[in-house]
Amino acid sequence: MTVLDLLEEIEDIVDKAPGVPLTGKVMVDADELRTIVMDIRKSLPDDVHQAQWIKEEKERILQEARSEYERLIKEAQKQADYLVDTNDITVRAHKASEEIIQNAQNYSKELKMRTYDYMDKILFDMENKMDEFGMKLFGEMYGQLEKSMGNLNDILKSNREEIKVMAYNTQHSSEE
């Protein structure tokens, strides 16, 4: 007999037992209940083992189901990735993106080259203006220098003439 059957038997004994007036209690045969409790104890380990086995079996089945679920999900993901990778739209999108990237790189290179040309032209113009400015400045400086040198030469000549006059005057004043 199973534990459940034995528990039902106890319920039947209690339900059929005569009541004690004014107490709400019933009278049962103690030996009969002890016998049933001992039978429950004897059968309980079998039921507990069976319940433990059922629990372990349930866990094993759940684990297998989880593993199968994860395997199916991975397989479905691989299949989806494959379909996306081989999809004609994806292939065309990859090709179009590569063309866009190449065009952008070419345009960037062209802009850099135009920028370098523009910078070179500005620097060339600046160099020419600096040469012109230098020549003008040098010309003005040379003119000023030439004028100063001319004035200096005039002063030197004038000073020499004065010295000659002084020397002449000195030479002629002692003879008199």
Side-chain angles (χ1 to χ4, degrees):
M1 241 197 259
T2 67
V3 172
L4 294 175
D5 292 335
L6 294 170
L7 290 173
E8 280 182 30
E9 191 174 329
I10 290 175
E11 285 178 344
D12 286 343
I13 291 172
V14 171
D15 288 341
K16 292 178 184 174
V20 177
L22 303 174
T23 63
K25 297 182 181 184
V26 292
M27 290 179 53
V28 292
D29 183 3
D31 291 332
E32 187 178 3
L33 283 179
R34 279 191 195 102
T35 305
I36 294 173
V37 169
M38 287 180 77
D39 288 342
I40 289 174
R41 282 192 180 133
K42 289 177 187 173
S43 65
L44 188 61
D46 292 337
D47 288 346
V48 169
H49 290 300
Q50 187 176 9
Q52 183 65 30
W53 178 84
I54 290 171
K55 180 182 173 192
E56 290 170 359
E57 191 64 16
K58 178 187 87 167
E59 289 298 321
R60 185 188 64 77
I61 291 170
L62 285 174
Q63 185 58 39
E64 284 179 7
R66 279 188 209 110
S67 297
E68 182 65 15
Y69 168 79
E70 289 171 5
R71 186 189 67 76
L72 288 174
I73 291 295
K74 285 179 185 176
E75 188 176 311
Q77 185 63 43
K78 285 180 187 177
Q79 184 66 24
D81 290 344
Y82 173 76
L83 290 175
V84 167
D85 287 343
T86 58
N87 189 334
D88 186 44
I89 294 171
T90 304
V91 170
R92 283 188 282 162
H94 282 293
K95 186 175 181 180
S97 70
E98 288 172 4
E99 288 177 16
I100 290 169
I101 289 169
Q102 185 63 44
N103 288 340
Q105 289 172 341
N106 291 342
Y107 185 69
S108 171
K109 192 176 192 179
E110 182 181 334
L111 283 178
K112 283 181 184 178
M113 293 307 294
R114 285 183 188 175
T115 302
Y116 296 150
D117 287 342
Y118 177 74
M119 290 169 56
D120 184 56
K121 182 184 179 305
I122 288 175
L123 292 173
F124 180 76
D125 291 345
M126 181 65 84
E127 185 180 12
N128 286 338
K129 286 181 182 180
M130 290 302 289
D131 285 344
E132 288 173 15
F133 180 71
M135 292 302 285
K136 182 179 177 185
L137 186 62
F138 182 71
E140 288 176 6
M141 284 174 49
Y142 182 73
Q144 289 287 335
L145 186 59
E146 189 175 38
K147 185 177 175 183
S148 294
M149 293 300 278
N151 289 340
L152 188 58
N153 280 339
D154 289 344
I155 292 171
L156 290 173
K157 279 182 187 178
S158 169
N159 287 342
R160 284 183 69 212
E161 287 300 320
E162 274 183 45
I163 290 175
K164 286 180 185 176
V165 167
M166 288 170 54
Y168 179 77
N169 286 339
T170 301
Q171 189 175 21
H172 289 304
S173 66
S174 26
E175 293 177 10
E176 292 178 13

